[in-house]
Amino acid sequence: MHGIRGRLAALLLAVSAVVAGTVAPAEAGQQGDGRGWTGTWATSASEHYEVSGMSEVTVRMPVHTSVGGSSVRIRLTNAYATDPVTIGHATVGLRDGGSAVAHPYDVRFGGKRGVTIPAGGAAVSDPVRLAVPALTDLMVSLHLPGQVTHITDHWWAQQTVYWTDYGAGDHAADTTGDAYTWTTTSWPFLSGVDVTAPRTGSVVALGDSITDGSYSTADTNQRWPDLLSARLNACRPGAGVLNAGITSNRITAGTETNPSALDRLERDVLSQPGARTLILFEGINDLGGASAEQIIAGMTEIAARAHRRGMRVVGATITPYKDFTWGGWSEETEARRQQVNAFVRDSGTVFDDYADFDRAVRDPADPRLLGAAYDSGDHLHPNDAGMKAFADSIDLTSLGLGRGCS
């Protein structure tokens, strides 16, 4: 019916603030800024597309928090668009089931109700006094009053996102979800949610489609960073866990909207508020086109840059994918994987520690294979049990957040 609904998104394979008013840029807060902002949720912009006939529409997005806090703010992006986008009204509140919100709180930008984000720009909202629990669903609603021609979003969110019909107007303050008549599975414009949480920090998971949660059960928050968050927030005072996974992402190469891990490191990791630890789980998409030495060099550069910003870095071994449904595996790529994994396990001072994701999910009878109990069916992407195996295999003390839990 509408352009956004009719667009055919090609399935990407894992192998293969300048605004109207006053808007502050996102702080680089790897040690936490003066107000104690810590990221509780994040996603990485990974595509943009054109739409036609879209105006007076409201989108409502569920996001699952990691750490809790006493105030909240949202971060928006128009990174890949060719035109500015205007947010006429934004709200945030606790989810009340489906697309309903218990109490939507108005969000302002530099004291103003709306904000215009230029092409390539970003915006950060003013704080909203709202007690945000850990491990709960927030709803962020954005009213788009003008003509929307381009949308920057994060595709394949494994999350139902709710939209009103075109021309329906401003429903950001609705408590019920009756006006939200159709759905997508991507997060448009939203890049992060932060809370004021003194003494806490956050872990950023930099990865590809496996970290993104592809093939985990939708709408259940079974991505491994979500499950890691549940472990961390069983401790006190908890910690944020931010998902910076993008399907098909690589360390050594990238595209305009899917930049390499090296090229997006500043945006998606180093500038995250409160970010103290990086878990680097990349490389599987590089094996077919880059040498082991190139992958290792990229990992080393990422770790060095994060260390210069005072962050700890935990490397993760690359998981097996022999018999991957869409191909790409060979004895040569397997040899590269083993070489990279040997480096991760014994990197000297490159990594502060490592997480052995390979060992956690491989088939004991044939370590080149993803174990059947962890296989979503394509022999590369783990199912929910595989995601849990990743989260459970991480030594929480290696994250350096001082939580004293295991």
Side-chain angles (χ1 to χ4, degrees), residues 196-210:
T196 50
R199 301 183 307 281
T200 68
S202 62
V203 178
V204 186
L206 181 63
D208 49 42
S209 61
I210 300 177

Side-chain angles (χ1 to χ4, degrees), residues 205-231:
L206 181 63
D208 49 42
S209 61
I210 300 177
T211 296
D212 208 10
S214 302
Y215 298 99
S216 64
T217 302
D219 296 321
T220 62
N221 302 303
Q222 294 297 303
R223 312 165 193 87
W224 72 261
D226 294 315
L227 300 174
L228 173 62
S229 173
R231 288 188 65 206

Side-chain angles (χ1 to χ4, degrees), residues 40-41 60-67 71-74 91-96 98 100-101 103 105 130-133 135-141 159 187 190 193-195:
T40 188
W41 177 90
R60 178 164 282 180
M61 294 169 278
V63 299
H64 194 65
T65 66
S66 51
V67 71
S71 294
V72 63
R73 69 181 184 185
I74 64 173
T91 63
V92 63
L94 300 180
R95 192 177 194 177
D96 195 25
V101 183
H103 183 118
Y105 290 81
L130 170 63
V132 177
L135 310 178
T136 196
D137 282 354
L138 287 178
M139 295 292 252
V140 177
S141 303
Q159 177 66 62
W187 286 300
L190 186 65
V193 178
D194 308 326
V195 295

Side-chain angles (χ1 to χ4, degrees), residues 8-361:
L8 179 62
L11 178 63
L12 299 177
L13 303 180
V15 151
S16 343
V18 180
V19 295
T22 302
V23 176
E27 296 96 335
Q30 59 266 28
Q31 298 302 325
D33 65 23
R35 291 180 291 176
W37 287 113
T38 296
T40 188
W41 177 90
T43 194
S44 300
S46 64
E47 70 163 1
H48 75 98
Y49 54 91
E50 296 182 4
V51 292
S52 61
M54 177 184 277
S55 66
E56 288 296 338
V57 64
T58 308
V59 58
R60 178 164 282 180
M61 294 169 278
V63 299
H64 194 65
T65 66
S66 51
V67 71
S70 57
S71 294
V72 63
R73 69 181 184 185
I74 64 173
R75 290 181 278 129
L76 304 176
T77 180
N78 199 28
Y80 299 125
T82 57
D83 294 315
V85 65
T86 295
I87 310 300
H89 184 201
T91 63
V92 63
L94 300 180
R95 192 177 194 177
D96 195 25
S99 54
V101 183
H103 183 118
Y105 290 81
D106 284 347
V107 175
R108 293 187 175 272
F109 299 84
K112 298 180 180 181
R113 180 183 175 96
V115 62
T116 297
I117 310 173
V124 182
S125 80
D126 300 340
V128 176
R129 288 290 298 176
L130 170 63
V132 177
L135 310 178
T136 196
D137 282 354
L138 287 178
M139 295 292 252
V140 177
S141 303
L142 305 176
H143 170 229
L144 308 170
Q147 289 290 327
V148 180
T149 60
H150 290 81
I151 290 179
T152 292
D153 77 353
H154 179 89
W155 181 59
W156 210 352
Q158 296 297 92
Q159 177 66 62
T160 300
V161 169
Y162 305 92
W163 293 79
T164 67
D165 210 347
Y166 291 13
D170 182 5
H171 290 274
D174 290 8
T175 55
T176 71
D178 296 345
Y180 295 87
T181 56
W182 58 286
T183 63
T184 57
T185 55
S186 61
W187 286 300
F189 303 115
L190 186 65
S191 61
V193 178
D194 308 326
V195 295
T196 50
R199 301 183 307 281
T200 68
S202 62
V203 178
V204 186
L206 181 63
D208 49 42
S209 61
I210 300 177
T211 296
D212 208 10
S214 302
Y215 298 99
S216 64
T217 302
D219 296 321
T220 62
N221 302 303
Q222 294 297 303
R223 312 165 193 87
W224 72 261
D226 294 315
L227 300 174
L228 173 62
S229 173
R231 288 188 65 206
L232 274 173
N233 284 284
C235 312
R236 290 292 178 265
V241 180
L242 308 180
N243 192 326
I246 296 180
T247 292
S248 296
N249 198 234
R250 300 180 182 184
I251 293 173
T252 60
T255 67
E256 177 193 5
T257 59
N258 195 342
S260 72
L262 285 161
D263 288 341
R264 67 189 183 96
L265 185 66
E266 179 67 35
R267 181 194 75 177
D268 291 344
V269 178
L270 302 182
S271 65
Q272 293 287 354
R276 294 182 181 175
T277 302
L278 163 63
I279 300 178
L280 175 61
F281 180 34
E282 290 249 24
I284 199 167
N285 294 313
D286 298 88
L287 292 172
S291 68
E293 290 78 10
Q294 289 171 320
I295 298 168
I296 290 168
M299 289 179 165
T300 301
E301 182 179 342
I302 288 169
R305 288 170 59 189
H307 280 148
R308 287 197 293 270
R309 298 289 281 271
M311 296 180 68
R312 288 180 62 83
V313 183
V314 175
T317 51
I318 302 174
T319 50
Y321 67 101
K322 184 175 182 286
D323 295 339
F324 175 48
T325 300
W326 287 281
W329 183 92
S330 68
E331 293 292 351
E332 183 180 4
T333 62
E334 179 64 20
R336 291 174 190 162
R337 186 177 76 89
Q338 294 296 344
Q339 185 175 343
V340 173
N341 283 353
F343 163 76
V344 172
R345 293 183 179 111
D346 188 19
S347 71
T349 59
V350 173
F351 297 128
D352 298 284
D353 211 325
Y354 74 93
D356 207 338
F357 287 180
D358 169 42
R359 183 179 297 275
V361 298

